[in-house]
Amino acid sequence: MRVQVHLRAEKLGNITRGGRWLLGKKSSPYATVSLADGSGPSASTAVGAELGKTEVIHSNLSPKWTTIFTLNHDESQSWTPLKITLYDGRTSAKQQQQETNADPNSNDRQSTEEGFMHVHAPPIRMNSIMNVATRIPMPNLYKSNSDPMMGEANVEVGDILKMEGQEMKLELEQGGCCVNVWGSILYVHITESIDSQTSNSRSEQQQQSTTNTETETFHCHIRGLDLENIEKGLLGLGAIDPYFELSKKYNDPQHGISRWTCVYRSEHIPNIINPYWHPFSINLEKICHGNISKELKITVWDSESGVRSDRWIGECTVSVEELMDRVTKCGNAGRDEAICILDEEHQEVGLIVVLKADIVQ
């Protein structure tokens, strides 16, 4: 079975240099995922082999990473241990933006020491979604010379797949000098990678022409049109700094659990109500588990660049299938196929114009 691993965290310890004394200065967390040992279906992979790392989310102690990790899990063995390590990225947002400008498809576009190591005892079968990590002191470890560790935890794929909502909640001790506050939380969500309804959601022609969702990629380019300006600034001359998030919906009807998982976050564009965001590409398996009719959501935000919380403007529900059907036929300001962005009162606060949307091998 192929599975997907998605991570988010809340209330992480602020271990950035001067972060406890300089107002507004916060850590910029990212996570790495690696095999905890050589057992299970990945036994041929070296112990400690890194499966990848998330993007850095700057100045944010409650990050929702968009990076999704895929790996094989042997259901018969039900034993695929993973090690998740959090670091404080010391590359500035400006430096990282310069690096990612060369790659418009990068997900590293976020606007946004002594520590403790957190490890688990051997996996325990449990029905609760809460699992508390054992806290033990650790030396001052670094991913590199510049990125200090914020915490570490071991999880087991089979345990999480059997939990309600397929998500494990790990309480971590906050890192940082002279800070021992229990309350930092890491969420690890693991689910089957291919939707069982995939074959029912695609036309016969599509199934014949694209049979391997692992190699299919969804390419998309959207823009905002007439977004509501909720930040007029001094003398009414300011404008919003909009970006969007694309999320997929997870449902566990047996336990009444539903949540949204962010799979892409665009760059923010300053002072504009008609933004052209960069085109993006996402593996079809990761964005919708191969099911092009799966419910997705586009949420538009006004970036506050870490000074305060970003402000929600509005959202709309879509699917890969709908985005492909809504490609504009009347130019980049065409309104006939545009998708309405709605606020909490279901009033229109702007439009999403789909400039391009297709699936390629």
Side-chain angles (χ1 to χ4, degrees):
M1 175 198 295
R2 282 176 61 79
V3 298
Q4 296 186 10
V5 181
H6 191 272
L7 307 172
R8 60 189 175 97
E10 295 178 354
K11 303 177 182 178
L12 295 178
N14 188 10
I15 66 170
T16 193
R17 297 186 184 95
R20 299 181 189 87
W21 299 279
L22 298 179
L23 184 64
K25 190 173 178 61
K26 300 177 183 177
S27 293
S28 300
Y30 68 93
T32 64
V33 178
S34 58
L35 294 173
D37 60 34
S39 61
S42 302
S44 60
T45 306
V47 175
E50 189 173 291
L51 300 177
K53 67 179 181 179
T54 68
E55 73 277 17
V56 177
I57 299 188
H58 291 279
S59 299
N60 192 324
L61 301 180
S62 295
K64 296 180 180 179
W65 292 290
T66 63
T67 304
I68 296 174
F69 304 91
T70 57
L71 66 150
N72 293 319
H73 169 68
D74 189 337
E75 294 179 89
S76 63
Q77 295 187 28
S78 188
W79 178 249
T80 307
L82 301 176
K83 180 174 71 174
I84 300 167
T85 310
L86 274 58
Y87 296 94
D88 181 12
R90 291 297 167 86
T91 301
S92 70
K94 183 177 180 180
Q95 289 174 309
Q96 187 170 349
Q97 185 66 39
Q98 291 172 345
E99 294 173 2
T100 57
N101 276 342
D103 180 9
N105 293 324
S106 172
N107 270 349
D108 290 352
R109 299 178 177 277
Q110 315 304 328
S111 55
T112 62
E113 320 200 79
E114 181 182 3
F116 290 84
M117 178 167 59
H118 314 283
V119 298
H120 284 296
I124 300 174
R125 308 297 172 183
M126 64 184 78
N127 295 323
S128 170
I129 65 171
M130 171 67 78
N131 188 23
V132 178
T134 302
R135 297 174 288 168
I136 61 175
M138 56 162 272
N140 193 19
L141 299 179
Y142 291 81
K143 170 69 172 175
S144 67
N145 291 331
S146 59
D147 294 345
M149 182 185 288
M150 299 180 73
E152 187 172 79
N154 289 350
V155 299
E156 201 282 305
V157 170
D159 283 339
I160 298 178
L161 286 172
K162 295 175 182 178
M163 289 181 173
E164 295 183 4
Q166 297 180 314
E167 185 174 70
M168 179 178 283
K169 180 179 180 180
L170 302 164
E171 290 191 353
L172 302 176
E173 191 168 329
Q174 291 183 349
C177 180
C178 302
V179 176
N180 287 327
V181 181
W182 184 256
S184 296
I185 300 173
L186 172 68
Y187 294 91
V188 184
H189 177 49
I190 301 180
T191 186
E192 188 173 351
S193 195
I194 301 297
D195 195 318
S196 60
Q197 300 300 316
T198 296
S199 60
N200 298 328
S201 68
R202 311 191 66 178
S203 69
E204 182 178 351
Q205 181 178 1
Q206 287 174 320
Q207 291 182 52
Q208 291 175 349
S209 61
T210 55
T211 58
N212 190 350
T213 58
E214 293 180 30
T215 61
E216 291 176 308
T217 302
F218 177 59
H219 295 286
C220 188
H221 189 193
I222 65 175
R223 65 160 301 187
L225 190 63
D226 298 336
L227 300 181
E228 181 176 336
N229 188 11
I230 61 174
E231 185 179 342
K232 297 183 178 180
L234 184 65
L235 302 178
L237 300 178
I240 55 175
D241 306 325
Y243 69 94
F244 74 89
E245 292 180 336
L246 180 63
S247 305
K248 62 182 177 182
K249 192 171 188 178
Y250 170 83
N251 282 310
D252 180 357
Q254 182 178 355
H255 300 102
I257 297 174
S258 178
R259 72 173 71 91
W260 291 96
T261 300
C262 184
V263 297
Y264 179 79
R265 185 177 294 113
S266 77
E267 77 285 6
H268 78 271
I269 303 178
N271 299 314
I272 192 170
I273 62 172
N274 296 302
Y276 279 85
W277 292 294
H278 285 295
F280 63 93
S281 299
I282 308 179
N283 176 270
L284 196 67
E285 181 180 345
K286 293 182 178 181
I287 189 175
C288 63
H289 302 264
N291 180 358
I292 63 172
S293 63
K294 183 177 180 63
E295 188 174 7
L296 307 175
K297 178 174 68 175
I298 296 174
T299 307
V300 181
W301 298 86
D302 174 27
S303 173
E304 296 296 333
S305 300
V307 177
R308 55 176 181 258
S309 298
D310 295 346
R311 294 188 291 179
W312 182 84
I313 295 175
E315 62 189 30
C316 57
T317 55
V318 294
S319 66
V320 168
E321 188 173 39
E322 182 179 3
L323 288 170
M324 291 192 295
D325 290 340
R326 292 291 197 105
V327 174
T328 180
K329 299 178 179 64
C330 302
N332 57 29
R335 299 172 182 272
D336 292 344
E337 294 84 16
I339 303 169
C340 290
I341 305 169
L342 304 178
D343 64 12
E344 292 179 340
E345 298 178 352
H346 298 283
Q347 300 296 312
E348 182 179 313
V349 290
L351 298 170
I352 293 292
V353 179
V354 184
L355 304 175
K356 177 183 179 180
D358 54 21
I359 297 172
V360 299
Q361 285 277 33

